[in-house]
Amino acid sequence: MRLTLRVWRQRDADTPGAMVTYDIDDISEDMSFLEMLDTLNEKLILRGEEPVAFDHDCREGICGACGVVINGDAHGPERTTTCQLHMRHFDDGDTVDVEPWRAGAFPVVKDLVVDRSAFDRIIGAGGYISVPTGAAPEAHATPVPKADADFAFEHAECIGCGACVAACPNGSAMLFTSAKVNHLNVLPQGAPERETRVLDMVSAMDEEGFGGCTLAGECATACPKGIALPSIAAMNKEWLRATRKASRR
Amino acid sequence: MALATRTDRRPSLTRSLWGSTVGKKTVMAVSGLIMLMYLVAHMLGNLKIFFGSGEFNTYAHWLRTMGEPLLHYEWALWGVRVVLLAAVVLHGVAAYQLSRRDIRARPSKYVHKRRRASYATRTMRWGGIILALFIVWHLLDLTTLTVNENAQPGRPYENVVATFSTWYGNVIYLVAMLAVGLHVRHGFWSAAQTLGMGNARRDRILKTLANGLALVLTAGFVSVPVAVMTGVVG
C-alpha cells in the first residue's frame, strides 16, 4: 500500500507545530497503525531526520498508552485502540491525517505525545478504595449481586487512554471520570468512600481545566472500550446524591 | 502509620452547585425544565385563538385575575413572571460561564475537520442566543405593545393578528419557533441525563419524549402565525 501521511510535528511544548507530509509505500495491510508509524520512523532515521514521537506500550489494546487522532477520529475509523487498528481499514493511495489528542488539559509534549497526567490526578482524588494491606480477602465474604458486578465491570474496562477527551468538542473528561466513579461506587468495597469519591473526583476534574459535558455523545462514540454515554448520567446521579447528603451534615 | 483523618468540610449546597460543572449543569437542567413547563402551558393557551376573539381575550384576562379572590389582581401572573425571570437569568448565566470554560478547554482545533454531534446539539449555544433575543422582541411586541402595529391593551387577539400581518413579525416568530424545537430536542434529553435519570433502558423513551415535545411545541406555536397568514384567524 502507498499512503500520504500528514503528521503533526512539534519539537516541544513551547514550539509551535505544523502538519508535515510524508509519502510512504511498502505498507502491508496486516500492519497495525503503530507498525506503519514504526516503518515511517525507520525511514526517517535512515534519512537522518528526527523520528515521529508517539506513545505506545502493550500494543494489544489493554494499556491505554497509545492514541492519536486519525482523520479526525480518536483512534481512527474502527472502535478500537490505535495499536489494534490495522492498515486494511485504509485504501491504497489514501491521505491520512495524524494529530495528537487536543485538549487544554492535555498539553502536547512532542509530536503526537500529550501529557495525560491530569487523569492521574483525577484518580488520585478518589479512584481507589482504602483497604488495609494483607492477604487477599476470602472471595465469598463480600457477595456482589450479578447486575452490580456487570455494571462495575463495564466501567472497569476504561483504560484511561483519553480518547473521550480528544473527541469531546468541549475537551471534557466526564466519560473517563464517570467510568472510574461508577466502577467503584456500585461495589461494596467502594461503598465507604462513595460520596467523597464522586465529589472529590469531579472537583479534581474541574480543577484540571477540562470542559463541561454538553451530552454531544462524541466521547462514547470514540471510546475503544465501549463505555456508554449513560455512564455520565449515572455519575451525575451519584454526584447529586452525595451533594444532598453532604449539605445535610 | 495511622491513616489521615478526613476533615470533611463541604461547602454549602449553593456553593457546591454553582462551583462545579456538574452542579451548574444541574441548575441549567432545572431552570430549563421550568421554562419548558411554562412553554407547554403557553402553547396550549395560544391555541385558544382558534375559538375566536371573545374566548381568547377572556382567557388572556383570566391570566391576570388567576388566583382571585385569594390573591390580588395580577399577583399570580407576577409570581409566574418572577419565577421565569429567575429561570432565564440562571440558565443564561450558567450557559455563558460553562461555554466560556468549554471553549478554553479546547484551545486548538483539529486540522482534519469532521462534523461532530447532531444539528440540535451543535446549535444549542446560538439557538439559546436567538431565543434570548426573541424573548426581548416578544415582550416588546405583545406584553408592553411597544413595537406592536395595533397596540390595544386588553385586546391580545387583535394584537396577535396585527403582529402576524407583518412579514417581519412572521419571520422573527418562525425562526424563533424552529430554534425552540431544536433547543428542546437536545435540551430536554440532556436535562434528564444531568439529573441522573438517563440509563440504557430509558434512553429510547427519553429521546422519543424529547422529540415529541419539540415537535408538538413547534407545531403548536407555528400554527398561530400560519392561521393568520392563511386567513383562518383574522
Side-chain angles (χ1 to χ4, degrees), chain A residues 72 97 99 102 104 166 206 212 218, chain B residues 101-102 105-106 111-112 116-117:
Chain A
D97 289 337
E99 298 174 72
R102 292 287 185 201
D206 284 348
E218 291 291 328
Chain B
R101 183 192 174 91
D102 293 349
R106 190 38 127 37
V111 175
H112 190 105
R116 283 169 196 280

Side-chain angles (χ1 to χ4, degrees), chain A residues 13 15 18 24 57 60 66 74 81 95 101-102 120 179 187 198 222 241:
Chain A
T15 318
I24 183 166
D57 191 14
E60 53 184 19
C66 70
T81 53
T95 300
W101 287 170
R102 292 287 185 201
D120 298 339
L187 295 173
V198 62
R241 178 184 171 277

Side-chain angles (χ1 to χ4, degrees), chain A residues 69 71-73 97 99-100 102 104 166-168 170 200 206 209-215 218 233 236-237 239 249, chain B residues 6 8 10 16 20-23 25 101-102 105-107 110-112 114 116-117 125 186 189-190 193-194 196 198:
Chain A
V69 172
N71 285 341
D73 288 316
D97 289 337
E99 298 174 72
R102 292 287 185 201
C168 176
N170 312 319
D200 291 342
D206 284 348
F210 290 105
C213 179
T214 54
L215 278 312
E218 291 291 328
N236 288 336
K237 194 175 178 179
W239 189 89
R249 256 188 310 219
Chain B
R6 280 195 75 99
D8 200 25
R10 294 286 170 186
S16 47
S20 149
T21 52
V22 177
K25 283 287 293 201
R101 183 192 174 91
D102 293 349
R106 190 38 127 37
Y110 288 110
V111 175
H112 190 105
R114 189 173 69 76
R116 283 169 196 280
R125 285 174 192 150
H186 182 69
W189 177 80
S190 280
Q193 308 302 313
T194 302

Side-chain angles (χ1 to χ4, degrees), chain B residues 38-126:
Chain B
Y38 169 78
L39 275 186
V40 172
H42 187 2
M43 188 272 289
L44 292 175
N46 283 5
L47 296 181
K48 285 224 145 205
I49 203 156
F50 290 100
F51 300 113
S53 165
E55 191 160 339
F56 188 71
N57 287 352
T58 311
Y59 160 73
H61 185 68
W62 170 79
L63 291 175
R64 291 164 198 278
T65 60
M66 188 167 47
E68 285 184 27
L70 179 65
L71 300 174
H72 187 65
Y73 178 71
E74 281 193 352
W75 275 17
L77 183 66
W78 275 103
V80 172
R81 285 173 176 171
V82 168
V83 171
L84 281 176
L85 183 67
V88 170
V89 170
L90 286 172
H91 199 77
V93 172
Y96 173 76
Q97 293 182 349
L98 284 170
S99 299
R100 283 286 302 269
R101 183 192 174 91
D102 293 349
I103 293 164
R104 264 203 314 274
R106 190 38 127 37
S108 35
K109 305 275 164 261
Y110 288 110
V111 175
H112 190 105
K113 297 272 181 292
R114 189 173 69 76
R115 185 146 285 182
R116 283 169 196 280
S118 75
Y119 189 75
T121 311
R122 282 184 283 122
T123 50
M124 285 307 272
R125 285 174 192 150
W126 277 108

Side-chain angles (χ1 to χ4, degrees), chain B residues 175-212:
Chain B
V175 168
M177 289 314 109
L178 285 178
V180 161
L182 287 171
H183 208 76
V184 166
R185 185 179 178 208
H186 182 69
F188 176 79
W189 177 80
S190 280
Q193 308 302 313
T194 302
L195 297 176
M197 291 186 285
N199 61 32
R201 257 182 316 110
R202 240 178 267 153
D203 198 54
R204 210 152 141 185
I205 303 169
L206 286 171
K207 278 217 164 103
T208 314
L209 208 58
N211 290 345

